[in-house]
Short mmCIF file of all heavy atoms in Angstrom, two decimals:
data_model
loop_
_atom_site.label_atom_id
_atom_site.label_comp_id
_atom_site.label_asym_id
_atom_site.label_seq_id
_atom_site.Cartn_x
_atom_site.Cartn_y
_atom_site.Cartn_z
N ALA A 1 0.84 -1.19 0.00
CA ALA A 1 0.00 0.00 0.00
C ALA A 1 0.88 1.25 0.00
O ALA A 1 1.95 1.26 0.59
CB ALA A 1 -0.90 0.01 1.22
N ILE A 2 0.40 2.27 -0.66
CA ILE A 2 1.12 3.54 -0.72
C ILE A 2 0.51 4.48 0.32
O ILE A 2 -0.70 4.70 0.34
CB ILE A 2 1.01 4.17 -2.12
CG1 ILE A 2 1.66 3.27 -3.16
CG2 ILE A 2 1.63 5.56 -2.12
CD1 ILE A 2 1.51 3.75 -4.57
N ASN A 3 1.38 5.01 1.18
CA ASN A 3 0.93 6.01 2.15
C ASN A 3 0.73 7.33 1.42
O ASN A 3 1.40 7.62 0.44
CB ASN A 3 1.95 6.18 3.27
CG ASN A 3 2.02 4.96 4.16
OD1 ASN A 3 1.03 4.29 4.38
ND2 ASN A 3 3.20 4.68 4.67
N LYS A 4 -0.15 8.13 1.94
CA LYS A 4 -0.39 9.46 1.36
C LYS A 4 0.83 10.34 1.59
O LYS A 4 1.45 10.30 2.64
CB LYS A 4 -1.63 10.10 1.98
CG LYS A 4 -2.90 9.30 1.77
CD LYS A 4 -3.51 9.65 0.46
CE LYS A 4 -4.83 8.92 0.30
NZ LYS A 4 -5.59 9.43 -0.81
N ALA A 5 1.17 11.16 0.60
CA ALA A 5 2.39 11.97 0.64
C ALA A 5 2.08 13.42 1.03
O ALA A 5 1.03 13.95 0.71
CB ALA A 5 3.06 11.96 -0.73
N ASP A 6 3.04 14.02 1.74
CA ASP A 6 2.97 15.46 2.04
C ASP A 6 3.42 16.26 0.82
O ASP A 6 2.88 17.33 0.54
CB ASP A 6 3.90 15.82 3.20
CG ASP A 6 3.44 15.21 4.51
OD1 ASP A 6 2.25 15.35 4.84
OD2 ASP A 6 4.27 14.58 5.19
N ILE A 7 4.43 15.74 0.14
CA ILE A 7 5.03 16.44 -1.00
C ILE A 7 5.24 15.45 -2.14
O ILE A 7 5.73 14.34 -1.91
CB ILE A 7 6.39 17.06 -0.63
CG1 ILE A 7 6.23 18.10 0.47
CG2 ILE A 7 7.07 17.68 -1.86
CD1 ILE A 7 7.54 18.61 1.03
N ILE A 8 4.91 15.86 -3.34
CA ILE A 8 5.23 15.09 -4.54
C ILE A 8 6.05 16.00 -5.43
O ILE A 8 5.71 17.17 -5.65
CB ILE A 8 3.97 14.60 -5.27
CG1 ILE A 8 3.29 13.52 -4.44
CG2 ILE A 8 4.31 14.11 -6.67
CD1 ILE A 8 2.09 12.88 -5.09
N VAL A 9 7.17 15.48 -5.94
CA VAL A 9 8.04 16.23 -6.84
C VAL A 9 8.00 15.54 -8.20
O VAL A 9 8.34 14.36 -8.32
CB VAL A 9 9.49 16.29 -6.31
CG1 VAL A 9 10.37 17.08 -7.26
CG2 VAL A 9 9.52 16.88 -4.91
N ILE A 10 7.56 16.26 -9.21
CA ILE A 10 7.51 15.72 -10.57
C ILE A 10 8.79 16.16 -11.28
O ILE A 10 9.00 17.35 -11.55
CB ILE A 10 6.27 16.22 -11.32
CG1 ILE A 10 5.01 15.77 -10.57
CG2 ILE A 10 6.27 15.72 -12.76
CD1 ILE A 10 3.73 16.34 -11.11
N LEU A 11 9.65 15.18 -11.56
CA LEU A 11 10.96 15.46 -12.15
C LEU A 11 11.05 15.10 -13.62
O LEU A 11 12.01 15.48 -14.29
CB LEU A 11 12.05 14.71 -11.39
CG LEU A 11 12.21 15.07 -9.91
CD1 LEU A 11 13.17 14.11 -9.24
CD2 LEU A 11 12.70 16.49 -9.78
N VAL A 12 10.09 14.32 -14.12
CA VAL A 12 10.11 13.90 -15.52
C VAL A 12 8.73 14.11 -16.12
O VAL A 12 7.72 14.10 -15.42
CB VAL A 12 10.52 12.41 -15.65
CG1 VAL A 12 11.98 12.20 -15.24
CG2 VAL A 12 9.62 11.51 -14.84
N ALA A 13 8.68 14.30 -17.43
CA ALA A 13 7.41 14.57 -18.11
C ALA A 13 6.96 13.35 -18.91
O ALA A 13 6.51 13.47 -20.05
CB ALA A 13 7.57 15.79 -19.02
N HIS A 14 7.05 12.17 -18.32
CA HIS A 14 6.61 10.96 -19.01
C HIS A 14 5.11 11.00 -19.25
O HIS A 14 4.35 11.55 -18.45
CB HIS A 14 6.94 9.72 -18.17
CG HIS A 14 8.40 9.45 -18.02
ND1 HIS A 14 9.27 9.37 -19.08
CD2 HIS A 14 9.15 9.25 -16.92
CE1 HIS A 14 10.49 9.12 -18.64
NE2 HIS A 14 10.45 9.06 -17.33
N ASP A 15 4.68 10.43 -20.36
CA ASP A 15 3.25 10.41 -20.70
C ASP A 15 2.41 9.77 -19.61
O ASP A 15 1.27 10.15 -19.40
CB ASP A 15 3.03 9.68 -22.02
CG ASP A 15 3.57 10.47 -23.21
OD1 ASP A 15 3.68 11.71 -23.10
OD2 ASP A 15 3.87 9.84 -24.24
N GLU A 16 2.97 8.79 -18.90
CA GLU A 16 2.23 8.12 -17.83
C GLU A 16 1.84 9.11 -16.74
O GLU A 16 0.74 9.07 -16.21
CB GLU A 16 3.04 6.98 -17.21
CG GLU A 16 3.29 5.82 -18.15
CD GLU A 16 4.50 6.00 -19.05
OE1 GLU A 16 5.21 7.04 -18.95
OE2 GLU A 16 4.74 5.12 -19.88
N PHE A 17 2.75 10.02 -16.39
CA PHE A 17 2.47 11.02 -15.36
C PHE A 17 1.49 12.06 -15.88
O PHE A 17 0.60 12.49 -15.17
CB PHE A 17 3.74 11.69 -14.87
CG PHE A 17 4.69 10.73 -14.20
CD1 PHE A 17 6.02 10.70 -14.58
CD2 PHE A 17 4.26 9.87 -13.21
CE1 PHE A 17 6.90 9.82 -13.97
CE2 PHE A 17 5.13 8.99 -12.60
CZ PHE A 17 6.46 8.96 -12.98
N LYS A 18 1.66 12.47 -17.14
CA LYS A 18 0.73 13.43 -17.73
C LYS A 18 -0.68 12.86 -17.74
O LYS A 18 -1.65 13.58 -17.52
CB LYS A 18 1.15 13.78 -19.15
CG LYS A 18 2.42 14.57 -19.25
CD LYS A 18 2.76 14.81 -20.72
CE LYS A 18 4.09 15.47 -20.88
NZ LYS A 18 4.46 15.64 -22.29
N GLY A 19 -0.79 11.57 -17.98
CA GLY A 19 -2.09 10.91 -18.03
C GLY A 19 -2.82 10.89 -16.70
O GLY A 19 -4.05 10.83 -16.66
N PHE A 20 -2.09 10.95 -15.60
CA PHE A 20 -2.72 10.98 -14.28
C PHE A 20 -3.56 12.24 -14.11
O PHE A 20 -4.62 12.23 -13.50
CB PHE A 20 -1.68 10.95 -13.15
CG PHE A 20 -1.17 9.60 -12.80
CD1 PHE A 20 0.19 9.37 -12.77
CD2 PHE A 20 -2.03 8.57 -12.46
CE1 PHE A 20 0.68 8.12 -12.41
CE2 PHE A 20 -1.55 7.33 -12.09
CZ PHE A 20 -0.20 7.10 -12.08
N GLY A 21 -3.04 13.36 -14.60
CA GLY A 21 -3.70 14.64 -14.38
C GLY A 21 -3.62 15.04 -12.92
O GLY A 21 -3.08 14.32 -12.08
N VAL A 22 -4.17 16.18 -12.60
CA VAL A 22 -4.13 16.69 -11.24
C VAL A 22 -4.89 15.77 -10.29
O VAL A 22 -4.40 15.41 -9.22
CB VAL A 22 -4.70 18.13 -11.16
CG1 VAL A 22 -4.78 18.61 -9.73
CG2 VAL A 22 -3.86 19.08 -11.98
N ALA A 23 -6.08 15.35 -10.70
CA ALA A 23 -6.90 14.49 -9.83
C ALA A 23 -6.21 13.17 -9.52
O ALA A 23 -6.24 12.70 -8.38
CB ALA A 23 -8.26 14.25 -10.47
N GLY A 24 -5.58 12.59 -10.52
CA GLY A 24 -4.90 11.32 -10.31
C GLY A 24 -3.70 11.42 -9.40
O GLY A 24 -3.44 10.55 -8.57
N ILE A 25 -2.95 12.50 -9.53
CA ILE A 25 -1.75 12.68 -8.70
C ILE A 25 -2.14 13.02 -7.27
O ILE A 25 -1.54 12.53 -6.32
CB ILE A 25 -0.82 13.74 -9.32
CG1 ILE A 25 -0.21 13.17 -10.60
CG2 ILE A 25 0.29 14.15 -8.34
CD1 ILE A 25 0.63 14.14 -11.40
N THR A 26 -3.16 13.87 -7.11
CA THR A 26 -3.54 14.25 -5.75
C THR A 26 -4.17 13.10 -4.97
O THR A 26 -4.26 13.17 -3.74
CB THR A 26 -4.48 15.47 -5.73
OG1 THR A 26 -5.62 15.19 -6.56
CG2 THR A 26 -3.77 16.71 -6.22
N LYS A 27 -4.56 12.03 -5.64
CA LYS A 27 -5.06 10.85 -4.92
C LYS A 27 -3.96 10.25 -4.04
O LYS A 27 -4.25 9.58 -3.07
CB LYS A 27 -5.57 9.78 -5.89
CG LYS A 27 -6.89 10.13 -6.51
CD LYS A 27 -7.56 8.97 -7.21
CE LYS A 27 -6.65 8.20 -8.12
NZ LYS A 27 -7.34 7.16 -8.89
N PHE A 28 -2.71 10.51 -4.38
CA PHE A 28 -1.58 10.00 -3.61
C PHE A 28 -1.17 10.94 -2.48
O PHE A 28 -0.22 10.68 -1.76
CB PHE A 28 -0.37 9.76 -4.52
CG PHE A 28 -0.60 8.72 -5.58
CD1 PHE A 28 -0.80 9.09 -6.89
CD2 PHE A 28 -0.64 7.38 -5.24
CE1 PHE A 28 -1.01 8.13 -7.87
CE2 PHE A 28 -0.85 6.41 -6.21
CZ PHE A 28 -1.04 6.79 -7.52
N CYS A 29 -1.86 12.08 -2.35
CA CYS A 29 -1.46 13.13 -1.41
C CYS A 29 -2.38 13.21 -0.20
O CYS A 29 -3.56 12.89 -0.29
CB CYS A 29 -1.49 14.49 -2.11
SG CYS A 29 -0.38 14.65 -3.50
N LYS A 30 -1.80 13.70 0.88
CA LYS A 30 -2.60 14.07 2.04
C LYS A 30 -3.40 15.32 1.67
O LYS A 30 -3.12 15.98 0.67
CB LYS A 30 -1.70 14.36 3.24
CG LYS A 30 -0.98 13.14 3.75
CD LYS A 30 -0.10 13.50 4.93
CE LYS A 30 0.63 12.26 5.43
NZ LYS A 30 1.55 12.58 6.53
N SER A 31 -4.40 15.66 2.49
CA SER A 31 -5.23 16.82 2.16
C SER A 31 -4.43 18.12 2.16
O SER A 31 -4.70 19.02 1.36
CB SER A 31 -6.41 16.92 3.12
OG SER A 31 -5.95 17.07 4.45
N ASN A 32 -3.43 18.23 3.02
CA ASN A 32 -2.57 19.41 3.07
C ASN A 32 -1.24 19.02 2.42
O ASN A 32 -0.35 18.52 3.09
CB ASN A 32 -2.38 19.88 4.51
CG ASN A 32 -1.65 21.19 4.60
OD1 ASN A 32 -1.53 21.90 3.62
ND2 ASN A 32 -1.13 21.50 5.77
N HIS A 33 -1.10 19.26 1.12
CA HIS A 33 0.07 18.79 0.37
C HIS A 33 0.62 19.88 -0.52
O HIS A 33 -0.01 20.92 -0.72
CB HIS A 33 -0.31 17.58 -0.49
CG HIS A 33 -1.31 17.94 -1.55
ND1 HIS A 33 -2.66 17.92 -1.31
CD2 HIS A 33 -1.16 18.34 -2.84
CE1 HIS A 33 -3.31 18.28 -2.41
NE2 HIS A 33 -2.42 18.56 -3.35
N VAL A 34 1.79 19.60 -1.06
CA VAL A 34 2.42 20.48 -2.05
C VAL A 34 2.93 19.59 -3.18
O VAL A 34 3.49 18.52 -2.93
CB VAL A 34 3.61 21.28 -1.46
CG1 VAL A 34 4.35 22.05 -2.54
CG2 VAL A 34 3.13 22.20 -0.36
N ILE A 35 2.70 20.04 -4.40
CA ILE A 35 3.22 19.35 -5.58
C ILE A 35 4.21 20.29 -6.25
O ILE A 35 3.85 21.41 -6.63
CB ILE A 35 2.11 18.97 -6.57
CG1 ILE A 35 1.11 18.01 -5.92
CG2 ILE A 35 2.71 18.37 -7.85
CD1 ILE A 35 -0.12 17.74 -6.74
N TYR A 36 5.46 19.88 -6.36
CA TYR A 36 6.47 20.63 -7.10
C TYR A 36 6.51 20.04 -8.50
O TYR A 36 6.95 18.91 -8.70
CB TYR A 36 7.85 20.52 -6.45
CG TYR A 36 8.01 21.37 -5.24
CD1 TYR A 36 7.87 20.84 -3.97
CD2 TYR A 36 8.30 22.74 -5.36
CE1 TYR A 36 8.01 21.63 -2.84
CE2 TYR A 36 8.44 23.53 -4.24
CZ TYR A 36 8.29 22.97 -2.99
OH TYR A 36 8.43 23.76 -1.88
N ASP A 37 6.03 20.77 -9.46
CA ASP A 37 5.97 20.31 -10.85
C ASP A 37 7.12 20.95 -11.61
O ASP A 37 6.99 22.01 -12.20
CB ASP A 37 4.62 20.71 -11.44
CG ASP A 37 4.44 20.24 -12.87
OD1 ASP A 37 5.32 19.50 -13.37
OD2 ASP A 37 3.43 20.61 -13.48
N LEU A 38 8.27 20.31 -11.59
CA LEU A 38 9.48 20.87 -12.21
C LEU A 38 9.45 20.78 -13.73
O LEU A 38 10.26 21.42 -14.40
CB LEU A 38 10.72 20.19 -11.65
CG LEU A 38 10.88 20.27 -10.13
CD1 LEU A 38 12.19 19.65 -9.71
CD2 LEU A 38 10.79 21.70 -9.64
N LYS A 39 8.56 19.99 -14.29
CA LYS A 39 8.46 19.84 -15.74
C LYS A 39 7.23 20.52 -16.32
O LYS A 39 6.96 20.43 -17.51
CB LYS A 39 8.46 18.36 -16.12
CG LYS A 39 9.72 17.61 -15.70
CD LYS A 39 10.98 18.30 -16.17
CE LYS A 39 11.36 17.89 -17.56
NZ LYS A 39 12.63 18.48 -18.01
N SER A 40 6.45 21.20 -15.48
CA SER A 40 5.26 21.94 -15.92
C SER A 40 4.28 21.08 -16.71
O SER A 40 3.78 21.49 -17.76
CB SER A 40 5.67 23.17 -16.73
OG SER A 40 6.46 24.03 -15.96
N ILE A 41 3.98 19.90 -16.20
CA ILE A 41 3.03 19.03 -16.89
C ILE A 41 1.61 19.23 -16.37
O ILE A 41 0.65 18.80 -17.01
CB ILE A 41 3.42 17.54 -16.79
CG1 ILE A 41 3.35 17.02 -15.37
CG2 ILE A 41 4.78 17.29 -17.41
CD1 ILE A 41 3.51 15.51 -15.26
N LEU A 42 1.45 19.88 -15.23
CA LEU A 42 0.12 20.13 -14.67
C LEU A 42 -0.22 21.60 -14.79
O LEU A 42 0.65 22.46 -14.63
CB LEU A 42 0.09 19.72 -13.19
CG LEU A 42 0.43 18.27 -12.88
CD1 LEU A 42 0.51 18.06 -11.37
CD2 LEU A 42 -0.60 17.34 -13.50
N PRO A 43 -1.49 21.91 -15.04
CA PRO A 43 -1.85 23.34 -15.10
C PRO A 43 -1.79 23.96 -13.71
O PRO A 43 -2.41 23.47 -12.78
CB PRO A 43 -3.27 23.30 -15.64
CG PRO A 43 -3.79 21.95 -15.30
CD PRO A 43 -2.60 21.03 -15.29
N ALA A 44 -1.06 25.03 -13.57
CA ALA A 44 -0.91 25.69 -12.27
C ALA A 44 -2.24 26.22 -11.77
O ALA A 44 -2.47 26.32 -10.57
CB ALA A 44 0.11 26.80 -12.35
N SER A 45 -3.14 26.53 -12.68
CA SER A 45 -4.43 27.07 -12.28
C SER A 45 -5.32 26.01 -11.62
O SER A 45 -6.32 26.36 -11.00
CB SER A 45 -5.15 27.63 -13.51
OG SER A 45 -5.36 26.60 -14.46
N ALA A 46 -4.95 24.75 -11.71
CA ALA A 46 -5.78 23.68 -11.17
C ALA A 46 -5.76 23.62 -9.66
O ALA A 46 -6.71 23.15 -9.04
CB ALA A 46 -5.34 22.33 -11.75
N SER A 47 -4.69 24.07 -9.03
CA SER A 47 -4.59 23.97 -7.58
C SER A 47 -3.55 24.95 -7.06
O SER A 47 -2.51 25.14 -7.68
CB SER A 47 -4.18 22.55 -7.18
OG SER A 47 -3.90 22.48 -5.81
N ALA A 48 -3.84 25.53 -5.92
CA ALA A 48 -2.88 26.44 -5.29
C ALA A 48 -1.69 25.66 -4.74
O ALA A 48 -0.68 26.25 -4.39
CB ALA A 48 -3.55 27.22 -4.17
N ASN A 49 -1.80 24.35 -4.67
CA ASN A 49 -0.74 23.52 -4.10
C ASN A 49 0.31 23.11 -5.13
O ASN A 49 1.25 22.42 -4.80
CB ASN A 49 -1.32 22.26 -3.48
CG ASN A 49 -2.23 22.57 -2.32
OD1 ASN A 49 -2.48 23.72 -2.00
ND2 ASN A 49 -2.72 21.55 -1.66
N ILE A 50 0.13 23.51 -6.39
CA ILE A 50 1.09 23.15 -7.43
C ILE A 50 2.07 24.30 -7.62
O ILE A 50 1.68 25.42 -7.92
CB ILE A 50 0.38 22.85 -8.77
CG1 ILE A 50 -0.56 21.66 -8.61
CG2 ILE A 50 1.41 22.60 -9.87
CD1 ILE A 50 -1.42 21.40 -9.82
N LEU A 51 3.33 24.02 -7.40
CA LEU A 51 4.38 25.02 -7.55
C LEU A 51 5.31 24.61 -8.68
O LEU A 51 5.61 23.45 -8.85
CB LEU A 51 5.17 25.15 -6.25
CG LEU A 51 4.35 25.52 -5.02
CD1 LEU A 51 5.24 25.47 -3.78
CD2 LEU A 51 3.73 26.89 -5.18
N ARG A 52 5.77 25.57 -9.41
CA ARG A 52 6.68 25.30 -10.51
C ARG A 52 8.06 25.85 -10.16
O ARG A 52 8.18 26.79 -9.40
CB ARG A 52 6.18 25.97 -11.78
CG ARG A 52 4.80 25.49 -12.17
CD ARG A 52 4.48 25.97 -13.56
NE ARG A 52 3.12 25.73 -13.93
CZ ARG A 52 2.63 24.53 -14.23
NH1 ARG A 52 3.40 23.48 -14.17
NH2 ARG A 52 1.38 24.39 -14.58
N LEU A 53 9.07 25.27 -10.74
CA LEU A 53 10.45 25.65 -10.45
C LEU A 53 10.66 27.15 -10.65
O LEU A 53 11.23 27.81 -9.79
CB LEU A 53 11.41 24.86 -11.32
CG LEU A 53 12.88 25.21 -11.18
CD1 LEU A 53 13.36 24.96 -9.75
CD2 LEU A 53 13.72 24.42 -12.16
N TRP A 54 10.21 27.71 -11.77
CA TRP A 54 10.47 29.12 -12.05
C TRP A 54 9.75 30.03 -11.07
O TRP A 54 10.26 31.05 -10.67
CB TRP A 54 10.10 29.47 -13.49
CG TRP A 54 11.02 28.78 -14.44
CD1 TRP A 54 10.70 27.79 -15.32
CD2 TRP A 54 12.43 28.97 -14.57
NE1 TRP A 54 11.82 27.37 -15.98
CE2 TRP A 54 12.90 28.08 -15.55
CE3 TRP A 54 13.33 29.83 -13.95
CZ2 TRP A 54 14.23 28.02 -15.93
CZ3 TRP A 54 14.67 29.76 -14.33
CH2 TRP A 54 15.10 28.88 -15.31
N GLU A 55 8.54 29.63 -10.66
CA GLU A 55 7.82 30.43 -9.66
C GLU A 55 8.60 30.47 -8.36
O GLU A 55 8.71 31.51 -7.72
CB GLU A 55 6.44 29.85 -9.43
CG GLU A 55 5.50 30.00 -10.61
CD GLU A 55 4.22 29.23 -10.42
OE1 GLU A 55 4.09 28.48 -9.44
OE2 GLU A 55 3.33 29.36 -11.28
N GLU A 56 9.14 29.33 -7.97
CA GLU A 56 9.91 29.26 -6.74
C GLU A 56 11.18 30.11 -6.83
O GLU A 56 11.54 30.79 -5.89
CB GLU A 56 10.29 27.80 -6.43
CG GLU A 56 9.13 26.99 -5.93
CD GLU A 56 8.61 27.51 -4.60
OE1 GLU A 56 9.39 27.60 -3.64
OE2 GLU A 56 7.43 27.85 -4.54
N LEU A 57 11.85 30.06 -7.98
CA LEU A 57 13.07 30.86 -8.14
C LEU A 57 12.76 32.35 -8.10
O LEU A 57 13.49 33.12 -7.48
CB LEU A 57 13.76 30.50 -9.46
CG LEU A 57 14.45 29.15 -9.51
CD1 LEU A 57 14.97 28.86 -10.91
CD2 LEU A 57 15.57 29.07 -8.49
N ILE A 58 11.68 32.76 -8.74
CA ILE A 58 11.30 34.18 -8.72
C ILE A 58 10.97 34.62 -7.30
O ILE A 58 11.42 35.68 -6.85
CB ILE A 58 10.11 34.43 -9.67
CG1 ILE A 58 10.58 34.27 -11.12
CG2 ILE A 58 9.50 35.80 -9.44
CD1 ILE A 58 9.47 34.20 -12.14
N LEU A 59 10.21 33.81 -6.57
CA LEU A 59 9.90 34.14 -5.19
C LEU A 59 11.16 34.20 -4.34
O LEU A 59 11.30 35.07 -3.48
CB LEU A 59 8.91 33.12 -4.60
CG LEU A 59 7.49 33.18 -5.15
CD1 LEU A 59 6.68 32.00 -4.61
CD2 LEU A 59 6.83 34.49 -4.81
N SER A 60 12.08 33.28 -4.58
CA SER A 60 13.33 33.27 -3.81
C SER A 60 14.15 34.53 -4.08
O SER A 60 14.69 35.13 -3.15
CB SER A 60 14.15 32.03 -4.16
OG SER A 60 13.47 30.87 -3.78
N PHE A 61 14.26 34.93 -5.35
CA PHE A 61 15.00 36.14 -5.69
C PHE A 61 14.33 37.37 -5.09
O PHE A 61 15.00 38.27 -4.58
CB PHE A 61 15.14 36.31 -7.20
CG PHE A 61 16.24 35.49 -7.79
CD1 PHE A 61 15.98 34.56 -8.78
CD2 PHE A 61 17.55 35.64 -7.36
CE1 PHE A 61 17.00 33.80 -9.32
CE2 PHE A 61 18.58 34.89 -7.90
CZ PHE A 61 18.30 33.96 -8.87
N ALA A 62 13.01 37.42 -5.13
CA ALA A 62 12.29 38.57 -4.57
C ALA A 62 12.52 38.66 -3.07
O ALA A 62 12.77 39.74 -2.53
CB ALA A 62 10.80 38.45 -4.88
N THR A 63 12.47 37.51 -2.40
CA THR A 63 12.70 37.48 -0.96
C THR A 63 14.13 37.90 -0.64
O THR A 63 14.36 38.70 0.26
CB THR A 63 12.43 36.08 -0.40
OG1 THR A 63 11.08 35.73 -0.71
CG2 THR A 63 12.64 36.01 1.10
N LEU A 64 15.10 37.38 -1.38
CA LEU A 64 16.49 37.72 -1.17
C LEU A 64 16.73 39.21 -1.41
O LEU A 64 17.43 39.87 -0.65
CB LEU A 64 17.38 36.88 -2.08
CG LEU A 64 18.88 37.09 -1.96
CD1 LEU A 64 19.36 36.76 -0.54
CD2 LEU A 64 19.63 36.24 -2.96
N SER A 65 16.11 39.76 -2.45
CA SER A 65 16.27 41.18 -2.75
C SER A 65 15.74 42.03 -1.60
O SER A 65 16.34 43.03 -1.23
CB SER A 65 15.52 41.54 -4.03
OG SER A 65 16.13 40.91 -5.12
N ASN A 66 14.61 41.63 -1.03
CA ASN A 66 14.03 42.38 0.07
C ASN A 66 14.92 42.31 1.31
O ASN A 66 15.06 43.28 2.04
CB ASN A 66 12.63 41.86 0.42
CG ASN A 66 11.62 42.24 -0.63
OD1 ASN A 66 11.80 43.20 -1.37
ND2 ASN A 66 10.55 41.47 -0.72
N VAL A 67 15.52 41.17 1.54
CA VAL A 67 16.39 40.99 2.70
C VAL A 67 17.67 41.82 2.57
O VAL A 67 18.12 42.43 3.51
CB VAL A 67 16.74 39.50 2.91
CG1 VAL A 67 17.83 39.31 3.94
CG2 VAL A 67 15.50 38.71 3.31
N LEU A 68 18.22 41.85 1.36
CA LEU A 68 19.47 42.54 1.13
C LEU A 68 19.33 44.06 1.00
O LEU A 68 20.29 44.79 1.18
CB LEU A 68 20.16 41.99 -0.11
CG LEU A 68 20.61 40.53 -0.03
CD1 LEU A 68 21.19 40.09 -1.36
CD2 LEU A 68 21.62 40.33 1.10
N SER A 69 18.14 44.54 0.70
CA SER A 69 17.98 45.98 0.50
C SER A 69 17.68 46.74 1.78
O SER A 69 17.54 46.27 2.82
CB SER A 69 16.89 46.26 -0.51
OG SER A 69 15.66 45.73 -0.09
#
């Protein structure tokens, strides 16, 4: 049996993962979860819990800029 995950990281854009869609992937998650979609295979508009690599980098740079200024 697969335990529900707090975090899922999508590192590859295989068709099998794309076929799951958001609903299929979130079935493996706890109710309070985060999905890091590094290959942008899921629509970000589908859930506030889906984060993309570039969004994280932009947020990190913005935070760092605020700290350094």
